[in-house]
Amino acid sequence: MPEILEHHSALAHLGLAARAVATRDAGQGVGLAEAPYRAAVNLRGRLDDAGFAAGAEQALGCALPAEVGAVATAGELSALALGPGEWLVVGGSDGPALRARLLAALEGVFASVVEVGQQYATIRIAGPKAAETLQKGCPLDFDAAAFPAGRCAQSLLSKIDVLVWKRSEEPAFEVTVRRSFADYAWRWLHDAAREYGVAILAG
Amino acid sequence: MAQSAPAAARSSQPFRLSEGGRIDRSRSLTFRFDDRELTGHPGDTLASALLANGVHLVGRSFKYHRPRGIVTAGAEEPNALVQVGRDPRTEPNVRATQLELFDGLGVSSQNRWPSLEFDVGGVNNLLSRFLPAGFYYKTFMWPAAAWETYEKAIRQAAGLGLAPSKPDPDHYDKTFAHCDLLVVGAGPAGLSAALTAARAGARVVVAEQDFLLGGDLLSDRTAKIDGRPALEWVAEAEAELRASDRVRILTRTICFAAYDHNFFALHERVTDHLAPADRPEGLPRHRLWKLRTKQAIFATGAIERPLVFRDNDRPGILLASAARSYLNRWGVRAGSEAVVFTGNDSGYATALDLKAVGVRVNAVVDLRAAAEGPLSEAAKAAGLRILAGHAVTGTEGDKRIARLRAAPLDADGKGVRGSGQEIACDLLVSSAGWSPTVHLHCQAKGSLAWDEAHACYLPDRSMQKGQAVIGSAAGAFGLASCLAGGEAAGREAAGALGLEAKASRKKTQAEDRDFLPMRQLYCVPSDKPLGQGGKHFVDQQNDVTAADLLLALREGYRSIEHVKRYTTTGMGTDQGKLGNLNAIGIVAERLGLPLPEVGVTTYRAPYTPVSFGAFAGRDVDALLDPVRTTPIHSWHERNGALFEDVGQWRRAWYYPKAGEDLHRAVAREVAATRETVGIMDATTLGKIEIVGPDAAELLNRVYTNAWSKLEVGRCRYGLMLKEDGMVMDDGVTSRLAEDRFLMTTTTGNAAPVLAHLEEWLQTEWPDLEVFLTSVTEQFATMTLSGPNARKLLAELCDLDLSTEAFPHMSWQEGSVAGVPARIFRISFTGELSYEINVPAGHGLSVWQALYRHGEKYGITPYGTEAMHVLRAEKGFIIVGQETDGSVTPLDLGMDWIVSKKKDFIGRRSLSRSDMADSGRKQLVGLLTQDPKVVLPEGGALVEAMRDATPVPMIGHVTSSYWSPNCERSIALALVKGGRARLGKTVLCPLEGGKTVPCTVVEPLFFDKEGDRLRA
């Protein structure tokens, strides 16, 4: 009979949960946390194809954002515009279901729906020095005017590709990397934040 | 510090004034210079503290080992370079003029042996007539082979200071940054600009190399702004700027480089000024700022130029402005009996300030026929002895100036009359004029314009948008001009940013004093011809004299860039901040050209030296490069795997048991895989999902073989060529659905292959309806391989695994250990194999389940080394091992995979006549005639040995292993005309004269019929 198998996050080997402190004890520096698994689908298509736009909107509950870096959210799903004709749809914890939902809505339309939630890891970085820490390795401008809440961007953190998403007005960012780079990204951010004080937070 | 410290400090700092300056006399700091213990105060630099203690001799010069002293009070210092700290936390060539004093600071003088006071190398000074410019070029040219001998001796004698012998124990930081306006320099002009722009709401970064704001105002005891001491205005400006969260003030930060589009590099010394015990734990030592701004204002000030006269390099000879800084900022008199030597009005400011604190000013020697100008008049009124129309013609003194001679100057400035009078002094200060610090403007390719009146280059046209130069850097030498220019530039920058800067209600009031009139002499004559009876130093750091420059011209050099390189003037760590214009002036005069026609040498970054640590930042040790690991990595570690790096991936190499070396472990892993079942982590293979109606067409175009007819559920091996027809990558691609394929690539080529496909799709075939998505890391991939693979997998899988239901080169979706899986029946080992792909997060659990169930079969994890042996036994190539970018499919004997019916990338290149040349290197197998000998990979192959070398090489070994299954060594090789040599013997000569004879065979050693694969 099938066994119930454990799912391991990209940073499971660091034992972060046991080292986490409460947010109120995080201090005035930087808090770091590994976000739990989140379903994700890479969605490609042509927005000027009415069938594609309508199908995606039907599956998501909101229109796909056209401008690169914009994010549209409906319920637990968000669509992050990664580039021209490319979105990362994230939300919930059932990747195959999310994929199936989009595939069904885009039946017969030229589109690509590929499940990618397992291949990413997301690190949340928060606190008054969060932007300054990211800034050390990322050439984007994190000033609130240049990178307002509700925006995302693909860039580099040191030597690795990252997707940065500022979800709210809080001084906090989600940094999404390929799973095998998560260990490097975590250690890098931890080291970069060292001068401000680093607290590990629960995911 | 003890309560009695101030009294003790005063007595031990004989040249410290009892009041005045920006130092804290209530605390004393102890420091060590060579073996002397001295004291200073917070606020001191090493230079000011040394001068307070009467120490002028601080180093020996680079070439002649002449005694040298402190010349300046800033970044332009050529002489006072010291070694700070102890190995390994030590740094050479630190400018004493910028080194902040802390308690316990230890520094050593440089370039002297055995001691600063008695230096053996000083003999070079006596031999100096034999060491002219270009001495090394001329002397060590021949014979060329001897250079290796010369070099050791020259290297020993060359260089200042010592590099640390061990790794740097400190850590460093680097960061990007953005702002609306960068203001470089926080003197009156810079502060005024920053205030104006900040008040308009701009995001401002102010970078100041000093640890205090104020610039030249820190050295001015009389300057007033709005009727109050100027430093009060500075303090208020600083407080206002610091109160804004849109302003960042970076002190101890030098903007050392300007690049295109307002990109700047800044070097911040974060903790150097603190005693090591006081350095906060997390703080980096230095920080590199990579700053992008919309607007930039350079308020970088001006550097005073020294006069070039005979023996102008003795300790106790300073810039006039430096002596004034030491007096006013640090409360230090640099001597007791002074002479001021000037060609303009600003030298008089120093004369007046020195007199005001009781230093005897024995004379002001003024090049000008008449001393004119507001300060000259004040000096006359104060009763100073002025020798107008005179020149200093020489100096004397052993390790400190003791006296000088001054003589009347000819009207044309080319000679002096008589031998002049002797004047005693222990301090000589000189001022030739001021050179605006135009470095950033010029690095950004801005042009210069010659200002004849001030004898200096001024910034002219900027080549970048949004850049301005203000204050004395732009030739506005008066305080009022600096303030007004700053405000105007701040307002203009704000306007360009779309912000509105309100004009201040009233104009800031200040004096606007220039240093004119001036008389410029680039080389002050003496009573002897140049180069005789003494030296006129132009570049003190590199010991370049006026005579050296003239020698270069006599030897035919004309371009100032060539003169610079031949004489090395301006090539020291100070980059000629003091000497360059004097050098250009001397060259212009001798060539009879107007100075602007000689041009200037190129301004290059960095403005001042930057530590390697700052450039490295945290890109060191474990963070130097990412180490990518698979979801199963922790299992490999726990089970004793050794790892090898494949690109950034760290893959399990082999799993030695107690007492096993590589060969025994690999032999065991290989044997187990052929006899029962092995398991390997193949997660790192690149995976690309190809989706769209034209997916098959894309594959047709990028692979050499045809794909349209591949059925859903089937897999096919493909070979991908570059445009030049050479093998680029290979792998198995499977049809997931009518419009969906999964391509696998080699581990190292995952990203390049994706980029290759995207480039063709985006630039050549935008009409193809197909999208590519990398899914390399979506899956953990494990390969079960061996006769028992099916039995084991069946225990955990819901699929019918029989060959009829699940044949070789097909795939199915099912579940393994309850986890959804894509299972591919493909093989790289030649055994019955299943590649199991499960969601990455379940990889470890599935692996463990397979392993647990496999134990009864003797399941054996195998690493990359065993995989290489297994595939070599089958003659399967590895791209990058059997290929090197010069190998075609035909060379590999893989004609069977090259379609003759369709076009694909690289096809046309394959039809070149050279591609069919029978002499090309072709892939073959090699069997050593002694089966126990394993050839070295990379070993060269020859037809026959002969005495004359070189022996023509006909190929090389690409892969070589001990094959446990063949019970002998096997090898693959690329050999010229290899296939025609089947059955023939080639030789592999080894180091030490041994030669291994090998028989050329087909590249296939095991299970030649492939029965095991299809079992």
Side-chain angles (χ1 to χ4, degrees):
Chain A
M1 282 307 293
E3 301 149 63
I4 302 301
L5 292 186
E6 201 183 341
H7 188 273
H8 296 91
S9 77
L11 295 175
H13 61 288
L14 297 179
L16 299 176
R19 294 154 61 195
V21 301
T23 307
R24 64 175 180 280
D25 299 327
Q28 281 309 294
V30 168
L32 289 176
E34 184 189 16
Y37 163 76
R38 179 169 63 195
V41 159
N42 183 283
L43 175 64
R44 308 283 298 274
R46 293 176 182 160
L47 214 47
D48 55 8
D49 174 347
F52 173 73
E57 182 167 355
Q58 183 215 320
L60 298 173
C62 63
L64 285 174
E67 188 199 350
V68 175
V71 180
T73 299
E76 65 173 10
L77 292 184
S78 293
L80 290 73
L82 301 183
E86 182 174 11
W87 295 264
L88 186 71
V89 178
V90 299
S93 57
D94 191 343
L98 178 59
R99 173 176 182 271
R101 182 164 151 187
L102 279 157
L103 274 178
L106 294 166
E107 178 86 51
V109 173
F110 171 42
S112 165
V113 176
V114 178
E115 192 195 341
V116 291
Q118 294 280 342
Q119 76 173 342
Y120 289 120
T122 294
I123 297 169
R124 291 205 178 107
I125 177 167
K129 294 291 187 183
E132 238 165 282
T133 302
L134 272 183
Q135 188 73 91
K136 291 185 178 190
C138 182
L140 297 173
D141 186 357
F142 294 105
D143 188 53
F147 204 117
R151 297 289 294 188
C152 71
Q154 296 189 94
S155 186
L156 286 173
L157 180 73
S158 182
K159 298 175 179 173
I160 60 180
D161 293 331
V162 292
L163 167 64
V164 183
W165 183 12
K166 188 159 194 294
R167 298 191 71 163
S168 70
E169 303 290 344
E170 298 296 306
F173 300 85
E174 286 194 354
V175 180
T176 297
V177 300
R178 295 281 163 132
R179 185 182 167 106
S180 64
F181 292 107
D183 180 79
Y184 179 82
W186 178 273
R187 290 175 201 276
W188 196 97
L189 288 169
H190 199 279
D191 188 68
R194 185 158 69 138
E195 65 177 289
Y196 313 121
V198 198
I200 297 171
L201 304 176
Chain B
M1 281 301 114
Q3 288 297 315
S4 58
R10 261 196 303 281
S11 64
S12 66
Q13 298 173 35
F15 292 85
R16 183 81 72 179
L17 303 178
S18 57
E19 57 178 29
R22 298 285 304 248
I23 50 161
D24 177 6
R25 286 181 178 75
S26 71
R27 288 178 54 215
S28 279
L29 306 174
T30 304
F31 68 100
R32 188 179 48 76
F33 177 66
D34 288 337
D35 47 11
R36 298 167 68 180
E37 198 149 273
L38 301 167
T39 62
H41 296 299
D44 262 329
T45 62
L46 175 65
S48 67
L50 286 171
L51 291 175
N53 286 279
V55 177
H56 276 259
L57 173 63
V58 293
R60 292 277 177 165
S61 72
F62 183 59
K63 184 169 160 188
Y64 302 124
H65 289 251
R66 284 166 71 110
R68 288 285 167 79
I70 297 158
V71 179
T72 74
E76 63 274 26
E77 176 61 34
N79 281 345
L81 307 181
V82 294
Q83 182 96 28
V84 179
R86 284 174 199 276
D87 200 20
R89 194 170 260 126
T90 186
E91 185 178 359
N93 300 334
V94 176
R95 293 170 299 283
T97 49
Q98 291 184 301
L99 175 62
E100 284 175 67
L101 205 64
F102 56 77
D103 205 42
L105 172 69
V107 301
S108 317
S109 55
Q110 299 183 156
N111 211 33
R112 83 290 187 275
W113 185 86
S115 75
L116 183 56
E117 296 285 331
F118 176 76
D119 171 34
V120 168
V123 71
N124 280 9
N125 192 31
L126 304 176
L127 300 173
S128 64
R129 75 164 57 205
F130 306 110
L131 295 169
F135 171 74
Y136 291 98
Y137 295 139
K138 291 166 184 160
T139 311
F140 299 107
M141 285 281 279
W142 300 281
W147 170 248
E148 289 190 17
T149 311
Y150 296 144
E151 190 188 8
K152 287 192 185 75
I154 292 170
R155 292 271 177 247
Q156 183 64 32
L160 296 162
L162 298 169
S165 68
K166 299 183 193 71
D168 193 333
D170 289 311
H171 73 275
Y172 297 81
D173 187 34
K174 58 183 170 183
T175 186
F176 295 96
H178 300 264
C179 63
D180 292 335
L181 171 64
L182 167 68
V183 178
V184 185
L191 285 174
S192 177
L195 273 178
T196 307
R199 283 171 185 162
R203 185 160 53 136
V204 180
V205 170
V206 179
E208 170 54 56
Q209 63 181 347
D210 205 331
F211 51 97
L212 295 177
L213 307 190
D216 191 51
L217 296 176
L218 293 164
S219 300
D220 196 325
R221 63 169 52 205
T222 56
K224 296 226 169 6
I225 295 176
D226 291 337
R228 293 186 297 146
L231 289 181
E232 287 183 18
W233 179 88
V234 170
E236 285 167 17
E238 179 171 358
E240 183 180 337
L241 290 170
R242 286 199 189 277
S244 166
D245 63 356
R246 301 288 285 168
V247 177
R248 187 197 290 274
I249 297 177
L250 294 171
T251 53
R252 304 182 175 93
T253 303
I254 183 71
C255 181
F256 66 87
Y259 302 103
D260 279 357
H261 307 297
N262 283 323
F263 184 67
F264 294 91
L266 295 79
H267 179 219
E268 179 187 11
R269 289 164 289 120
V270 183
T271 60
D272 277 355
H273 61 291
L274 301 171
D278 297 338
R279 292 174 189 169
E281 192 334 88
L283 279 190
R285 179 178 172 229
H286 293 170
R287 193 185 329 264
L288 178 73
W289 293 80
K290 295 173 280 184
L291 183 129
R292 179 82 64 182
T293 184
K294 299 187 178 89
Q295 300 277 314
I297 292 176
F298 307 137
T300 42
I303 293 173
E304 194 169 31
R305 221 162 40 242
L307 285 162
V308 176
F309 50 95
R310 186 166 74 182
D311 293 335
N312 55 337
D313 66 327
R314 294 187 201 283
I317 302 179
L318 280 74
L319 289 179
S321 58
R324 188 162 174 251
S325 290
Y326 288 119
L327 199 64
N328 297 333
R329 177 170 173 180
W330 286 288
V332 171
R333 51 192 177 88
S336 305
E337 300 205 28
V339 171
V340 175
F341 182 23
T342 186
N344 64 77
D345 207 39
S346 70
Y348 287 85
T350 304
L352 288 163
D353 285 353
L354 286 170
K355 183 170 191 300
V357 299
V359 174
R360 287 178 53 184
V361 179
N362 288 341
V364 179
V365 180
D366 194 332
L367 293 169
R368 301 174 295 180
E372 286 170 356
L375 292 174
S376 305
E377 300 304 329
K380 283 180 205 161
L384 286 179
R385 180 186 174 212
I386 298 170
L387 299 173
H390 274 62
V392 172
T393 56
T395 68
E396 286 177 42
D398 182 11
K399 296 183 182 85
R400 171 97 182 253
I401 185 168
R403 67 198 75 83
L404 57 79
R405 296 196 77 83
L409 192 58
D410 287 341
D412 64 1
K414 298 225 157 97
V416 290
R417 297 189 296 279
S419 61
Q421 55 184 299
E422 183 176 292
I423 306 172
C425 64
D426 62 1
L427 172 66
L428 169 57
V429 304
S430 85
S431 174
W434 292 80
S435 296
T437 308
V438 295
H439 297 63
L440 293 175
H441 168 81
C442 290
Q443 283 181 25
K445 300 291 171 225
S447 62
L448 295 175
W450 177 246
D451 176 348
E452 186 67 36
H454 291 93
C456 66
Y457 276 108
L458 295 180
D460 189 19
R461 214 157 48 83
S462 173
M463 286 299 281
Q464 313 280 332
K465 274 187 191 154
Q467 288 188 358
V469 190
I470 60 169
S472 54
F477 294 103
L479 179 53
S481 303
C482 285
L483 293 167
E487 195 183 322
R491 189 176 310 114
E492 192 164 319
L497 293 162
L499 302 167
E500 194 190 338
K502 293 189 189 80
S504 51
R505 285 181 301 279
K506 61 182 179 56
K507 191 166 173 283
T508 313
Q509 296 298 315
E511 204 181 354
D512 209 18
R513 199 175 60 217
D514 206 333
F515 58 87
L516 296 181
M518 70 182 291
R519 181 182 191 186
Q520 177 62 47
L521 284 186
Y522 293 106
C523 186
V524 177
S526 73
D527 53 346
K528 292 204 172 114
L530 205 57
Q532 288 183 25
K535 292 186 190 316
H536 288 63
F537 282 97
V538 175
D539 178 337
Q540 295 205 31
Q541 188 172 123
N542 273 357
D543 270 351
V544 180
T545 66
D548 290 329
L549 296 171
L550 300 189
L551 175 67
L553 297 178
R554 282 202 303 280
E555 297 194 356
Y557 293 96
R558 286 296 176 270
S559 159
I560 191 65
E561 295 281 10
H562 292 154
V563 171
K564 166 182 162 173
R565 281 157 183 77
Y566 189 62
T567 62
T568 73
T569 192
M571 290 172 68
T573 61
D574 61 339
Q575 290 285 289
K577 291 183 182 65
L578 292 186
N580 275 0
L581 192 75
N582 284 330
I584 293 167
I586 290 166
V587 168
E589 215 154 79
R590 177 54 57 105
L591 294 177
L593 294 171
L595 187 139
E597 284 187 28
V598 174
V600 292
T601 53
T602 309
Y603 289 86
R604 289 192 181 88
Y607 176 73
T608 45
V610 180
S611 59
F612 285 128
F615 287 118
R618 57 179 46 72
D619 296 341
V620 293
D621 301 328
L623 295 178
L624 174 63
D625 207 39
V627 172
R628 305 176 69 182
T629 58
T630 75
I632 307 161
H633 188 76
S634 61
W635 190 94
H636 306 318
E637 280 183 327
R638 282 197 305 278
N639 286 274
L642 296 183
F643 295 91
E644 74 167 335
D645 291 331
V646 182
Q648 289 175 323
W649 284 103
R650 188 148 292 169
R651 299 193 68 180
W653 186 20
Y654 62 102
Y655 302 78
K657 293 191 167 175
E660 281 184 342
D661 61 5
L662 168 73
H663 299 289
R664 290 167 74 174
V666 168
R668 176 179 50 74
E669 292 171 18
V670 165
T673 303
R674 294 255 185 257
E675 284 158 20
T676 171
V677 61
I679 184 167
M680 191 189 69
D681 183 354
T683 303
T684 60
L685 285 183
K687 306 172 198 72
I688 300 169
E689 223 163 285
I690 301 173
V691 182
D694 292 324
E697 176 58 21
L698 174 68
L699 294 174
N700 282 336
R701 296 185 189 185
V702 299
Y703 276 134
T704 59
N705 50 349
W707 292 82
S708 305
K709 291 182 182 152
L710 184 70
E711 291 167 34
V712 173
R714 302 294 300 201
C715 316
R716 183 169 287 171
Y717 175 79
L719 203 56
M720 194 180 290
L721 310 185
K722 288 196 296 184
E723 294 78 351
D724 60 8
M726 304 302 165
V727 173
M728 174 188 180
D729 201 58
D730 70 344
V732 170
T733 293
S734 309
R735 194 160 203 167
L736 303 182
E738 199 53 42
D739 64 346
R740 188 177 290 251
F741 291 80
L742 181 72
M743 174 187 282
T744 62
T745 74
T746 55
T747 295
N749 264 344
V753 166
L754 182 65
H756 175 74
L757 300 185
E758 280 288 359
E759 183 184 346
W760 278 88
L761 266 184
Q762 293 179 27
T763 64
E764 304 298 325
W765 307 322
D767 54 309
L768 287 190
E769 293 205 319
V770 56
F771 288 120
L772 311 171
T773 307
S774 165
V775 289
T776 301
E777 299 205 43
Q778 172 72 7
F779 302 97
T781 304
M782 50 213 86
T783 304
L784 280 182
S785 194
N788 282 321
R790 178 181 290 123
K791 251 193 279 180
L792 169 55
L793 183 57
E795 292 181 25
L796 288 154
C797 179
D798 58 350
L799 298 172
D800 177 357
L801 299 177
S802 67
T803 289
E804 298 69 39
F806 200 158
H808 182 56
M809 295 308 272
S810 70
W811 80 277
Q812 294 189 37
E813 201 147 20
S815 79
V816 176
V819 171
R822 287 174 178 169
I823 302 167
F824 299 82
R825 188 176 163 191
I826 54 180
S827 177
F828 194 45
T829 60
E831 294 298 319
L832 168 66
S833 292
Y834 299 94
E835 268 190 15
I836 303 159
N837 286 257
V838 296
H842 283 119
L844 179 58
S845 297
V846 173
W847 174 285
Q848 285 171 323
L850 286 168
Y851 193 78
R852 217 164 35 244
H853 285 260
E855 274 175 320
K856 57 182 166 294
Y857 303 109
I859 190 171
T860 299
Y862 65 97
T864 51
E865 189 68 19
M867 175 190 75
H868 284 190
V869 176
L870 289 162
R871 65 87 206 180
E873 289 175 344
K874 293 291 293 179
F876 295 153
I877 61 157
I878 289 184
V879 170
Q881 187 154 342
E882 270 64 56
T883 71
D884 59 4
S886 71
V887 177
T888 71
L890 289 61
D891 299 337
L892 295 170
M894 293 173 75
D895 324 36
W896 53 269
I897 203 174
V898 181
S899 168
K900 306 278 186 297
K901 296 181 192 148
K902 57 144 198 160
D903 200 7
F904 54 85
I905 296 173
R907 181 172 188 242
R908 261 181 296 170
S909 299
L910 292 182
S911 62
R912 289 168 52 221
S913 58
D914 179 62
M915 296 298 191
D917 185 346
S918 60
R920 284 184 66 83
K921 285 187 182 174
Q922 295 167 334
L923 184 73
V924 293
L926 291 183
L927 290 176
T928 52
Q929 287 169 7
D930 175 352
K932 293 211 160 22
V933 176
V934 181
L935 294 169
E937 285 182 354
L941 300 171
V942 301
E943 261 170 347
M945 290 306 290
R946 61 182 202 205
D947 289 339
T949 54
V951 182
M953 181 174 151
I954 58 167
H956 67 279
V957 179
T958 60
S959 293
S960 174
Y961 309 94
W962 175 258
S963 165
N965 298 299
C966 305
E967 295 180 323
R968 58 154 301 134
S969 72
I970 57 170
L972 298 172
L974 286 167
V975 178
K976 282 182 186 168
R979 281 195 288 279
R981 295 178 194 265
L982 289 178
K984 298 202 171 118
T985 297
V986 296
L987 303 177
C988 182
L990 302 182
E991 247 179 318
K994 199 179 152 196
T995 297
V996 183
C998 318
T999 308
V1000 178
V1001 297
E1002 289 283 356
L1004 174 57
F1005 305 98
F1006 184 76
D1007 184 30
K1008 297 187 181 178
E1009 284 69 44
D1011 297 338
R1012 305 172 70 94
L1013 198 63
R1014 295 183 185 81

